[in-house]
Amino acid sequence: MMGSHVGEVLAVLLFAATIGGVMIGFPVAFTLAGMSLIFAVIGHLFGTFDFTLFFGLPSRYYGTMVNEVLVAVPLFVFMGVMLERSKIATALLETMGQLFGPLRGGLGISVVLVGALLAASTGIVGATVVTMGLLSLPAMLRAGYDPRLATGVVCASGTLGQIVPPSVVLIFLGDILASANTMAQLAKGNFSPDPVSVGDLFAGAMIPGMMLVCIYIGYVIFQAIVNPKSCPPLVMTAEERRTLPLRVLSALIPPLLLIIAVLGSILSGIATPTESASIGALGAMLLAATKRQLTWVNLRDVMRSTMMISSLVFVIVLGASVFSLVFRGLGGELLVDDVLSAMPGGAGGAVLAVMALMFVLGFFLDTFEIILIVVPITAPVLLGLDVDPIWLGVMIGVNLQTSFLTPPVGFALFYLRGVAPPQVTTGHIYRGIVPFVGLQMLAMVFIWTVPQSATWLPEVIFGEGRNVVRDAPVTPDDGGLDSDPTLESPAAGSESGGGSVLDDLLGGQDLMLPDEEEGGSGGGSGAPAGERRQKQSSGSVLDDLLKNEELMVPD
């Protein structure tokens, strides 16, 4: 029993040391892997970690590389970078600004609308914030906008790409939650769980994403009424007004067609997210060609940017695989299970604790870092408490959107600071984003109290046959599994050609720790730690199945 306690202490120290290493500036992927290896050696010296667990790493890495769902990541990145190079954002900002500019607060409304359109077509926060900072921010300041309102609108609108589909963040979240839901249902004895796909999460995020757009617009209108001097109207010439309708149509129709093609093919079931990503990449090239921007130089730069962004993301995934393996091997997963299961308020208290942790980490870490460190550890426990996976994914997505806006490492703030005019200070930017962070938290409260805002559309589009609690995601006492446990085909549910991210991160190897004794741990799970470890390591059908899969070496 002493060895198990030592392992849990080491798991906590590993988590804290990894967060600290990232915060002081070490590369994320190397911090995740390096700290994990150090604590693995320490754990082995104390007899709480078995080095043979590392034999599963090659199959994890191979599973990540052949995962068909994750092929959508570089394709969507390519689509976003190509659209950014095709100057579509520039045309949208200029025409939409003139369309709404004559209204008080109209420029701010146009920035929010363009941010939503760019989010649904590019999804790249950095490029969106920089583009709007270069074009819209100077125009807003010239029109007499308050610098705090102008910078807040630009930063908040630029981060909509994290929650509005097709979002790369939602792809990773959907893949992790799909595997976590399967694991949770199998552990509860449901051997035919309905799958949860990236398409489900895309559908679930549609209404909350549009709700955020409306909330931002509502705030700008409120400022125009309460403080008219903060957002005066834009003065336009007669010639600009005369040619405006044609310019609006020419700027608006191409990205709308691309959005309809990509999201429409996913939500209608015609194509999987990966297939629709290829449609989007091809459509972005065609739009660039119509704008005479599809040159060899631009294509080379787009491919280089796509390669760099995708490599950065997947290197972090590989580092996170080592972290999760060591964290599990030290007994950290069972410790998390004990803590969350013992939270006051049941599933609601557990979800609230995880959301609070993610919000605080968002001040210091990037979205992907939080997803790949925290979600694989906590999601199986939360879903085991009958939390709806779609609702949970949307809540995480909206929560982590704030990580781009909260200092000291809010990346949207850095992007805007780099392109803002000299008269805009860092204080203007920091004070400007405070109301929008509050609005996002208000949106989270609404999604919490009205879970159907995230679960209704997936049920309408894909049906109600899933074995998860839809109506009350955070009250496990109100329901259980659906009566119809029919299993849909794997292709329709997960479109995965290999192991999911969570499979790769959490593995599923035999977790019986060396020199482990049976006994109580004093946790809140209602079972002694040694007994629960014995069940997890040797008596669980789920772990046996996953163990066999992990140890299968590709030909």
Side-chain angles (χ1 to χ4, degrees):
M1 185 171 69
M2 181 64 67
S4 66
H5 286 309
V6 172
E8 291 174 350
V9 171
L10 289 176
V12 174
L13 292 177
L14 168 61
F15 183 84
T18 301
I19 299 297
V22 173
M23 287 174 56
I24 63 178
F26 283 109
V28 179
F30 302 128
T31 301
L32 287 168
M35 286 293 184
S36 301
L37 293 176
I38 292 173
F39 276 87
V41 172
I42 297 175
H44 184 72
L45 294 177
F46 280 96
T48 60
F49 185 81
D50 188 356
F51 279 151
T52 58
L53 291 177
F54 285 126
F55 292 158
L57 276 179
S59 61
R60 292 186 181 197
Y61 290 169
Y62 181 79
T64 300
M65 295 299 102
V66 300
N67 190 339
E68 182 183 341
V69 174
L70 299 184
V71 175
V73 172
L75 289 173
F76 277 129
V77 171
F78 179 91
M79 181 182 77
V81 178
M82 179 61 75
L83 287 176
E84 187 266 333
R85 296 298 177 93
S86 65
K87 309 298 182 184
I88 287 180
T90 302
L92 277 174
L93 287 169
E94 291 177 351
T95 57
M96 296 296 286
Q98 293 176 352
L99 178 63
F100 292 94
L103 302 174
R104 187 180 294 117
L107 275 178
I109 295 174
S110 69
V111 169
V112 176
L113 291 176
V114 172
L117 289 172
L118 294 179
S121 55
T122 66
I124 299 179
V125 171
T128 303
V129 172
V130 169
T131 302
M132 293 196 295
L134 288 171
L135 298 176
S136 295
L137 184 57
M140 296 170 78
L141 295 176
R142 286 195 301 268
Y145 270 63
D146 186 323
R148 292 171 298 180
L149 177 61
T151 55
V153 169
V154 170
C155 286
S157 302
T159 61
L160 287 170
Q162 295 300 292
I163 190 63
V164 175
S167 165
V168 173
V169 169
L170 294 181
I171 293 174
F172 278 97
L173 268 177
D175 193 63
I176 293 174
L177 292 174
S179 181
N181 183 62
T182 300
M183 294 173 65
Q185 295 300 318
L186 289 176
K188 293 167 63 176
N190 178 16
F191 293 100
S192 58
D194 286 316
V196 177
S197 70
V198 175
D200 294 324
L201 197 55
F202 278 5
M206 287 292 294
I207 294 178
M210 295 302 102
M211 180 180 66
L212 275 174
V213 173
C214 295
I215 290 175
Y216 293 167
I217 292 176
Y219 177 73
V220 175
I221 295 175
F222 173 78
Q223 285 293 320
I225 296 173
V226 175
N227 187 14
K229 294 182 179 179
S230 65
C231 46
L234 176 69
V235 178
M236 293 177 56
T237 65
E239 179 63 21
E240 288 174 336
R241 287 194 295 268
R242 187 181 64 83
T243 60
L244 182 59
L246 182 60
R247 289 187 290 115
V248 168
L249 289 177
S250 63
L252 193 58
I253 290 178
L256 280 180
L257 291 177
L258 183 62
I259 292 170
I260 293 172
V262 174
L263 291 182
S265 61
I266 297 174
L267 300 180
S268 64
I270 297 175
T272 65
T274 302
E275 294 165 346
S276 68
S278 63
I279 295 173
L282 179 60
M285 294 178 65
L286 294 176
L287 291 182
T290 60
K291 299 287 184 178
R292 299 183 179 179
Q293 298 294 326
L294 188 60
T295 64
W296 169 248
V297 174
N298 281 345
L299 184 60
R300 182 192 60 193
D301 291 342
V302 169
M303 290 190 294
R304 180 183 289 115
S305 297
T306 302
M307 180 184 66
M308 292 176 61
I309 295 172
S310 302
S311 299
L312 174 65
V313 172
F314 281 99
V315 166
I316 296 175
V317 170
L318 299 183
S321 297
V322 183
F323 170 83
S324 293
L325 184 147
V326 175
F327 188 84
R328 283 192 90 195
L330 291 172
E333 184 187 31
L334 296 175
L335 177 63
V336 172
D337 193 347
D338 290 341
V339 171
L340 293 181
S341 299
M343 278 287 171
V351 173
L352 183 62
V354 173
M355 290 296 135
L357 174 64
M358 289 184 176
F359 181 78
V360 173
L361 290 178
F363 283 80
F364 310 103
L365 302 181
D366 179 46
T367 299
F368 281 106
E369 298 161 8
I370 299 174
I371 288 175
L372 296 175
I373 294 175
V374 179
V375 177
I377 296 172
T378 58
V381 181
L382 296 179
L383 297 182
L385 297 174
D386 285 335
V387 175
D388 185 282
I390 303 302
W391 178 86
L392 179 63
V394 173
M395 285 287 291
I396 292 174
V398 176
N399 192 354
L400 293 183
Q401 187 180 348
T402 62
S403 67
F404 279 89
L405 299 177
T406 48
V409 292
F411 285 99
L413 312 181
F414 292 152
Y415 297 143
L416 186 60
R417 174 67 274 179
V419 298
Q423 66 266 33
V424 176
T425 65
T426 302
H428 286 146
I429 298 176
Y430 281 6
R431 289 192 296 269
I433 56 93
V434 171
F436 291 92
V437 174
L439 292 174
Q440 288 180 334
M441 297 180 69
L442 180 65
M444 290 181 61
V445 172
F446 179 82
I447 299 170
W448 180 289
T449 55
V450 188
Q452 291 80 8
S453 60
T455 61
W456 175 78
L457 189 59
E459 290 175 356
V460 170
I461 295 176
F462 300 112
E464 302 181 1
R466 293 187 179 82
N467 295 320
V468 291
V469 179
R470 286 289 188 195
D471 294 330
V474 293
T475 49
D477 295 332
D478 290 343
L481 299 177
D482 293 343
S483 59
D484 181 12
T486 306
L487 178 65
E488 299 176 7
S489 65
S494 63
E495 344 116 24
S496 178
S500 75
V501 173
L502 187 62
D503 292 331
D504 302 330
L505 296 181
L506 297 186
Q509 295 97 324
D510 192 314
L511 291 183
M512 184 180 293
L513 304 180
D515 303 328
E516 191 172 35
E517 300 176 6
E518 297 211 17
S521 64
S525 63
E531 178 185 345
R532 294 178 68 241
R533 282 188 177 82
Q534 180 68 22
K535 291 178 182 179
Q536 293 260 351
S537 59
S538 59
S540 168
V541 176
L542 169 63
D543 283 344
D544 291 339
L545 291 173
L546 293 178
K547 177 178 66 178
N548 293 335
E549 178 181 328
E550 283 290 353
L551 297 179
M552 185 180 299
V553 180
D555 294 333

Short mmCIF file of all heavy atoms in Angstrom, two decimals, residues 104 218-228 230-231:
data_model
loop_
_atom_site.label_atom_id
_atom_site.label_comp_id
_atom_site.label_asym_id
_atom_site.label_seq_id
_atom_site.Cartn_x
_atom_site.Cartn_y
_atom_site.Cartn_z
N ARG A 104 -24.34 53.26 -35.66
CA ARG A 104 -23.53 53.40 -34.46
C ARG A 104 -23.20 52.00 -33.94
O ARG A 104 -24.08 51.19 -33.69
CB ARG A 104 -24.28 54.21 -33.39
CG ARG A 104 -23.43 54.53 -32.17
CD ARG A 104 -24.18 55.33 -31.14
NE ARG A 104 -24.51 56.66 -31.66
CZ ARG A 104 -25.73 57.12 -31.83
NH1 ARG A 104 -26.77 56.33 -31.57
NH2 ARG A 104 -25.95 58.34 -32.28
N GLY A 218 -24.65 41.67 -29.37
CA GLY A 218 -25.49 42.31 -28.38
C GLY A 218 -24.71 43.24 -27.47
O GLY A 218 -25.19 44.32 -27.09
N TYR A 219 -23.49 42.86 -27.12
CA TYR A 219 -22.66 43.72 -26.27
C TYR A 219 -22.27 45.00 -27.00
O TYR A 219 -22.27 46.09 -26.41
CB TYR A 219 -21.41 42.96 -25.83
CG TYR A 219 -20.46 43.80 -25.00
CD1 TYR A 219 -20.76 44.14 -23.69
CD2 TYR A 219 -19.27 44.28 -25.55
CE1 TYR A 219 -19.90 44.91 -22.92
CE2 TYR A 219 -18.40 45.06 -24.80
CZ TYR A 219 -18.72 45.37 -23.48
OH TYR A 219 -17.87 46.15 -22.75
N VAL A 220 -21.93 44.87 -28.29
CA VAL A 220 -21.59 46.07 -29.07
C VAL A 220 -22.80 47.01 -29.16
O VAL A 220 -22.68 48.23 -29.01
CB VAL A 220 -21.09 45.68 -30.47
CG1 VAL A 220 -20.86 46.93 -31.33
CG2 VAL A 220 -19.80 44.87 -30.38
N ILE A 221 -23.98 46.44 -29.41
CA ILE A 221 -25.20 47.26 -29.46
C ILE A 221 -25.46 47.92 -28.11
O ILE A 221 -25.85 49.11 -28.04
CB ILE A 221 -26.40 46.40 -29.91
CG1 ILE A 221 -26.20 45.90 -31.35
CG2 ILE A 221 -27.71 47.19 -29.79
CD1 ILE A 221 -27.28 44.94 -31.82
N PHE A 222 -25.24 47.19 -27.04
CA PHE A 222 -25.42 47.75 -25.70
C PHE A 222 -24.48 48.94 -25.48
O PHE A 222 -24.89 49.98 -24.94
CB PHE A 222 -25.15 46.66 -24.66
CG PHE A 222 -25.14 47.15 -23.24
CD1 PHE A 222 -26.31 47.42 -22.56
CD2 PHE A 222 -23.93 47.36 -22.58
CE1 PHE A 222 -26.29 47.89 -21.24
CE2 PHE A 222 -23.90 47.82 -21.28
CZ PHE A 222 -25.08 48.08 -20.61
N GLN A 223 -23.23 48.79 -25.91
CA GLN A 223 -22.28 49.89 -25.78
C GLN A 223 -22.71 51.09 -26.63
O GLN A 223 -22.55 52.25 -26.22
CB GLN A 223 -20.88 49.42 -26.19
CG GLN A 223 -20.19 48.54 -25.17
CD GLN A 223 -19.85 49.28 -23.90
OE1 GLN A 223 -19.42 50.43 -23.91
NE2 GLN A 223 -20.07 48.61 -22.77
N ALA A 224 -23.26 50.83 -27.81
CA ALA A 224 -23.71 51.91 -28.68
C ALA A 224 -24.87 52.69 -28.06
O ALA A 224 -25.01 53.90 -28.29
CB ALA A 224 -24.13 51.35 -30.04
N ILE A 225 -25.68 52.00 -27.26
CA ILE A 225 -26.81 52.68 -26.62
C ILE A 225 -26.36 53.40 -25.35
O ILE A 225 -26.72 54.56 -25.12
CB ILE A 225 -27.92 51.66 -26.30
CG1 ILE A 225 -28.47 51.06 -27.60
CG2 ILE A 225 -29.05 52.29 -25.50
CD1 ILE A 225 -29.45 49.92 -27.39
N VAL A 226 -25.58 52.72 -24.54
CA VAL A 226 -25.20 53.27 -23.23
C VAL A 226 -24.09 54.30 -23.36
O VAL A 226 -24.09 55.34 -22.68
CB VAL A 226 -24.77 52.12 -22.29
CG1 VAL A 226 -24.24 52.68 -20.96
CG2 VAL A 226 -25.94 51.18 -22.04
N ASN A 227 -23.14 54.02 -24.24
CA ASN A 227 -21.98 54.91 -24.41
C ASN A 227 -21.76 55.17 -25.89
O ASN A 227 -20.84 54.61 -26.51
CB ASN A 227 -20.74 54.27 -23.77
CG ASN A 227 -19.55 55.21 -23.76
OD1 ASN A 227 -19.68 56.42 -23.99
ND2 ASN A 227 -18.37 54.65 -23.50
N PRO A 228 -22.58 56.02 -26.51
CA PRO A 228 -22.50 56.22 -27.97
C PRO A 228 -21.13 56.72 -28.44
O PRO A 228 -20.73 56.41 -29.57
CB PRO A 228 -23.59 57.26 -28.25
CG PRO A 228 -24.50 57.21 -27.06
CD PRO A 228 -23.64 56.84 -25.91
N SER A 230 -18.30 55.71 -27.64
CA SER A 230 -17.31 54.64 -27.73
C SER A 230 -17.33 53.93 -29.08
O SER A 230 -16.38 53.24 -29.44
CB SER A 230 -17.54 53.60 -26.62
OG SER A 230 -18.78 52.94 -26.80
N CYS A 231 -18.42 54.10 -29.86
CA CYS A 231 -18.52 53.40 -31.15
C CYS A 231 -19.35 54.23 -32.12
O CYS A 231 -20.48 53.85 -32.46
CB CYS A 231 -19.11 52.01 -30.98
SG CYS A 231 -20.59 51.95 -29.94
#
